[in-house]
Amino acid sequence: QVQLVESGGGLLQAGDSLRLSCAASGRTFRFAMGWFRQAPGKEREFVASITWSGDTVYADSVKGRFTISGNNGMKAVYLQMNSLTPEDTATYYCAAQIASRGLRGPYDYWGQGTQVTVSS
């Protein structure tokens, strides 16, 4: 089992920056960890992911604005979000993948989510 707890969400204005954190506990090895988001009335979508070896992948909509990073052993994963727009408004979820199944999913474990709201 892997437990994931997100933090760092908030209410911001367009152009602001924000850093989300995800603390992981439980099973020690995680092949990859990722961030997803779900806006009201929309399906959950992939945002970014990072493997235990440091490889990263991003959704086109956030490439160049968001940066995913992790600490040693992937005990925590971060999402630095810059140049935020109202379209980034969503609940952001952290996820963990135990074995390689594709960096965009599916993932095995999920956090409860943290809300990010960006006003214009």
Side-chain angles (χ1 to χ4, degrees), residues 36-39 42-46 91 93 95 107 110-111:
F36 290 74
R37 67 186 181 185
Q38 186 167 20
K42 296 187 178 181
E43 293 187 355
R44 185 167 58 192
E45 65 174 359
F46 169 79
T91 300
Y93 297 92
Y107 280 70
W110 295 85

Side-chain angles (χ1 to χ4, degrees), residues 42-105:
K42 296 187 178 181
E43 293 187 355
R44 185 167 58 192
E45 65 174 359
F46 169 79
V47 175
S49 62
I50 184 169
T51 69
W52 66 274
S53 60
D55 295 328
T56 59
V57 64
Y58 296 91
D60 288 343
S61 59
V62 306
K63 199 172 296 184
R65 299 189 299 123
F66 291 11
T67 302
I68 189 171
S69 61
N71 68 353
N72 290 337
M74 300 184 74
K75 294 180 181 179
V77 174
Y78 310 97
L79 187 68
Q80 177 66 42
M81 305 186 293
N82 299 327
S83 302
L84 286 162
T85 73
E87 288 68 39
D88 296 315
T89 295
T91 300
Y92 283 72
Y93 297 92
C94 177
Q97 191 179 81
I98 301 303
S100 177
R101 300 169 68 188
L103 291 186
R104 297 177 186 267

Side-chain angles (χ1 to χ4, degrees), residues 11-15 84-86 89 117-120:
L11 178 61
L12 305 101
Q13 294 187 332
L84 286 162
T85 73
T89 295
T117 303
V118 184
S119 62
S120 59

